[in-house]
Amino acid sequence: MRVLFKLTMMLYRILAGVFFGLGGTKILGRKYKNDISERVGNIEDIKPGCVWVHAVSVGEVQSAGALIREIKSKNNLPCVISTVTTTGRETAKKLLSGVVEKIIYSVWDNKKFVTRALNHIQPSIYITMETELWPELLTQLHARKIPIYLANGRISEKSFGRLKKTSWFWKNILNYFNLLMVRFEDDRAKFSSLGVPDDKMIITGDCKVDTLFSRRDEVNRDEWQWLKSNGDKLFVAGSTHQGEDDVIISAFRMVRKRFPDTKLVIVPRHPQRALMSVASALPFPDLQAEILSKLPENPDAKNFNVLVVDKIGVLFSLYAIADAVFVGGSLVNKGGQNPFEPALFGVRAIHGPCMTDFPDTDRMDSFGAALCVHNDFELARAWGEALKPGEREKSEKACKKYFDTLGGAAEKTWKAIARDLKLL
């Protein structure tokens, strides 16, 4: 198997070299238009010896933010964070400007580019968030004897199926890591089945929770209060995907028969779907739908009962004032969206059955911090129940009890790394 791994790695390098040699940089450059120079390894103005933390996009950056602050607090080590996406970079600027020494784009996984990047950065430690496994980068880090760690480790069901088919290859890559800090038992079991020894894994919980606690305390709850200026109750359907709008609209119409003074805000996962979400409401004369960007400067909430948000970065603050929610990507096979966000505000995270990207959701359900529904009837009933007297207090207690079991993932993660590096 070791010989097969080496041959596969050699083929991987050859194919990557051919791809970039024949114009791969230009091809990828059409998608990633910003700072191509960094993506090919030209990374300047970094002092050697930093902790290099890699986070793909927004969610991973949020997890990384809590960990980096922990590193700074406990050992005050210089840190650099890399992202793949532009939105990830913007999130890093928002959360970590002034905390990290530099925010960069991640290098493409080509031997020449990776060598160049490592020669520039010369990290003392490399930490990758969740499931970023780039064979060339990890191989070169290992060859240079740079300690490698996986933080907030997770594998989606889709990725797991793909990795499992070639586990003989990924077993070797994963064993380059000094330690893998994984979120939950389900994540540990997946890595174990890929060949990672149990003594290399530690269950820490989710670092994202630590960051979300900080964000929660900074939320401006007055920003969206105009939506409830008429005394309406507010339902928020967050990060919805195609195939969920009709169910949400149907549930809203049902619950309005009992609670007419209600409003629904739909926040599509992809803002360009806003018109499609509005179209789901148009056939019904009892619904008046609007798109956020089309509203006047001082909108009157009396003029609509369904608002579709075509803007990113506002869902968290909407959850802060919601009376009941639905977490999208869960009635269709998309793995679900983050149920922690509404629950942090004491609002039960109502979701569909497809929550494979958040394996601890079943445990949230058992605490009463979340609730699974399967159709419009169940969603309407759950929303209606949430408006009954005393239900909010019950939900808040359940959410607090659940989060009491999760706190401190970032601290646990850095403590494990520092202990391994004998920094404690």
Side-chain angles (χ1 to χ4, degrees):
M1 281 297 180
R2 187 66 185 172
V3 173
L4 181 58
F5 169 72
K6 288 182 177 180
L7 290 172
T8 305
M9 194 65 211
M10 186 184 301
L11 178 61
Y12 177 85
R13 283 176 164 161
I14 291 170
L15 292 175
V18 170
F19 173 74
F20 285 105
L22 295 177
T25 304
K26 290 183 179 179
I27 294 169
L28 290 175
R30 293 177 193 138
K31 179 179 181 181
Y32 302 108
K33 297 178 182 179
N34 300 312
D35 290 311
I36 298 299
S37 180
E38 289 184 349
R39 297 183 193 273
V40 298
N42 295 314
I43 301 164
E44 307 292 345
D45 302 322
I46 295 179
K47 292 181 181 180
C50 66
V51 179
W52 179 1
V53 180
H54 175 60
V56 182
S57 194
V58 175
E60 293 83 1
V61 169
Q62 290 174 347
S63 300
L67 178 58
I68 288 171
R69 290 181 184 278
E70 186 68 22
I71 294 170
K72 287 289 187 178
S73 170
K74 293 298 192 296
N75 294 84
N76 198 28
L77 300 176
C79 296
V80 170
I81 185 168
S82 61
T83 72
V84 173
T85 68
T86 303
T87 52
R89 186 186 182 99
E90 291 305 311
T91 302
K93 286 180 180 178
K94 183 177 179 181
L95 294 178
L96 295 167
S97 287
V99 178
V100 296
E101 276 58 37
K102 196 172 181 67
I103 300 168
I104 61 175
Y105 281 114
S106 181
V107 61
W108 284 325
D109 205 43
N110 168 263
K111 185 176 181 180
K112 181 171 68 174
F113 301 162
V114 170
T115 300
R116 184 185 296 152
L118 289 176
N119 287 341
H120 281 299
I121 300 173
Q122 297 182 48
S124 60
I125 307 167
Y126 179 80
I127 304 172
T128 185
M129 306 301 299
E130 305 207 358
T131 325
E132 272 291 276
L133 306 174
W134 293 106
E136 182 62 50
L137 176 58
L138 294 172
T139 298
Q140 288 204 36
L141 286 164
H142 179 70
R144 294 182 184 223
K145 295 183 170 52
I146 296 168
I148 309 169
Y149 300 94
L150 181 71
N152 228 52
R154 62 178 287 267
I155 305 178
S156 69
E157 289 296 329
K158 183 178 179 181
S159 296
F160 179 64
R162 186 172 64 248
L163 294 172
K164 187 67 175 172
K165 291 176 183 176
T166 51
S167 59
W168 53 269
F169 176 80
W170 293 108
K171 176 181 179 180
N172 288 277
I173 294 294
L174 287 166
N175 276 286
Y176 287 153
F177 286 93
N178 290 46
L179 284 174
L180 291 87
M181 276 65 64
V182 301
R183 300 177 309 165
F184 307 117
E185 174 59 32
D186 181 80
D187 301 303
R188 189 208 63 77
K190 287 175 181 174
F191 281 109
S192 180
S193 70
L194 293 175
V196 180
D198 286 345
D199 61 2
K200 271 198 170 187
M201 291 186 285
I202 299 171
I203 298 174
T204 58
D206 197 330
C207 292
K208 200 173 294 178
V209 173
D210 296 337
T211 299
L212 290 174
F213 272 122
S214 298
R215 285 183 65 203
R216 180 195 64 181
D217 296 338
E218 297 168 1
V219 162
N220 178 10
R221 294 171 182 262
D222 296 330
E223 182 181 3
W224 297 100
Q225 283 295 341
W226 60 273
L227 286 168
K228 305 175 76 172
S229 60
N230 300 309
D232 291 332
K233 297 295 185 180
L234 187 68
F235 300 144
V236 175
S239 294
T240 59
H241 288 252
Q242 186 172 349
E244 295 181 316
D245 294 330
D246 291 344
V247 176
I248 292 163
I249 292 293
S250 175
F252 179 57
R253 294 184 70 231
M254 289 182 205
V255 80
R256 284 190 77 239
K257 292 176 181 178
R258 293 172 56 203
F259 302 98
D261 296 329
T262 53
K263 276 191 170 51
L264 170 65
V265 177
I266 301 176
V267 187
R269 175 67 172 169
H270 305 290
Q272 61 268 28
R273 285 192 54 253
L275 286 174
M276 189 182 301
S277 298
V278 168
S280 297
L282 288 178
F284 306 106
D286 57 320
L287 299 183
Q288 296 80 46
E290 293 284 355
I291 294 178
L292 180 62
S293 64
K294 305 295 184 184
L295 293 179
E297 187 173 343
N298 295 304
D300 188 344
K302 290 181 180 179
N303 295 332
F304 60 85
N305 46 35
V306 177
L307 179 65
V308 180
V309 175
D310 55 345
K311 180 181 178 182
I312 62 172
V314 301
L315 179 57
F316 196 63
S317 55
L318 280 166
Y319 281 149
I321 65 163
D323 294 289
V325 307
F326 169 74
V327 177
S330 59
L331 285 172
V332 292
N333 192 23
K334 295 294 183 180
Q337 299 300 325
N338 195 338
F340 294 159
E341 294 186 350
L344 280 166
F345 296 103
V347 184
R348 185 172 289 116
I350 301 168
H351 60 87
C354 304
M355 292 293 288
T356 52
D357 286 353
F358 296 89
D360 208 45
T361 306
D362 286 345
R363 202 164 67 90
M364 286 187 76
D365 290 351
S366 70
F367 275 83
L371 176 68
C372 184
V373 298
H374 299 82
N375 52 51
D376 51 351
F377 295 101
E378 292 183 6
L379 178 56
R381 184 169 63 244
W383 275 348
E385 288 289 320
L387 298 186
K388 289 183 176 179
E391 283 300 310
R392 182 57 179 260
E393 290 78 8
K394 189 186 299 182
S395 174
E396 288 174 350
K397 288 179 181 178
C399 291
K400 182 182 184 304
K401 189 174 179 181
Y402 170 73
F403 282 118
D404 283 345
T405 71
L406 286 188
E411 181 181 8
K412 292 174 188 174
T413 298
W414 178 242
K415 186 177 287 187
I417 294 173
R419 187 181 295 116
D420 185 64
L421 293 170
K422 297 179 172 54
L423 296 176
L424 292 178

